[in-house]
Amino acid sequence: MDQTTVPTPQSATIAERVAKTGIDEAMIEALVRTFYGKIRDDALLGPVFGAAITDWEPHLLKMIDFWSSVALLTHRYDGRPLPAHVRFDIGPAHFERWLELFRETTAEVCTPEAAAFFEDRAANIGRSIQMGVDFFRKQAAADAGAAR
């Protein structure tokens, strides 16, 4: 009896993405480690991240899992990024700088096709987190006003 594995739609999507972009776990790790090295040294973002992260290795591993889940659908990331960002004093300038450094890093680490993929996802993620942060801050301000 032939036990040929039939590709799932998900595995076909991943195979096509890998073939088009060259994305693999090594590229994701290089992207994350290079990007967060830049973040740590950045005048605007470094202090924000430095105040939040004392042990960088667990954070880097979590971000590798995050991007692996985004790019390769590995389902390794199970965090909730919005609550982590709401508690910090960050605004549009921080998100713009984050995306600028991310784009710079993808150009250095990735194939052009992989860079386009990651940059598209990062722009959407950044926009979503920024909207969430804004919403929660406005809600908190409205709740504080109503409590008076």
Side-chain angles (χ1 to χ4, degrees):
M1 185 163 146
D2 183 11
Q3 298 222 349
T4 304
T5 304
V6 176
T8 65
Q10 179 176 329
S11 66
T13 297
I14 297 310
E16 182 180 341
R17 182 173 298 153
V18 169
K20 281 183 177 178
T21 65
I23 294 172
D24 61 12
E25 293 291 344
M27 181 188 289
I28 292 167
E29 182 170 355
L31 174 63
V32 167
R33 290 186 182 281
T34 303
F35 174 63
Y36 281 99
K38 291 176 187 232
I39 291 284
R40 291 167 83 170
D41 293 338
D42 189 73
L44 179 63
L45 298 177
V48 174
F49 279 81
I53 302 168
T54 55
D55 185 358
W56 277 88
E57 191 60 21
H59 181 71
L60 295 175
L61 294 174
K62 184 182 283 192
M63 293 299 93
I64 291 167
D65 286 348
F66 173 80
W67 284 108
S68 178
S69 294
V70 169
L72 302 175
L73 305 179
T74 59
H75 305 289
R76 293 195 326 238
Y77 179 78
D78 65 355
R80 295 177 52 226
L82 189 55
H85 291 83
V86 167
R87 60 190 171 117
F88 296 106
D89 186 20
I90 54 176
H94 294 91
F95 287 98
E96 288 170 21
R97 183 65 179 147
W98 179 87
L99 196 53
E100 180 181 327
L101 288 175
F102 193 81
R103 287 183 178 127
E104 181 181 295
T105 307
T106 61
E108 295 170 8
V109 172
C110 301
T111 64
E113 297 81 8
F117 172 85
F118 283 121
E119 290 169 15
D120 176 67
R121 297 315 188 277
N124 289 335
I125 291 163
R127 196 169 26 256
S128 175
I129 290 174
Q130 187 173 0
M131 287 177 10
V133 166
D134 291 346
F135 172 80
F136 279 104
R137 287 193 181 143
K138 287 176 184 170
Q139 188 63 46
D143 291 348
R148 291 181 191 174

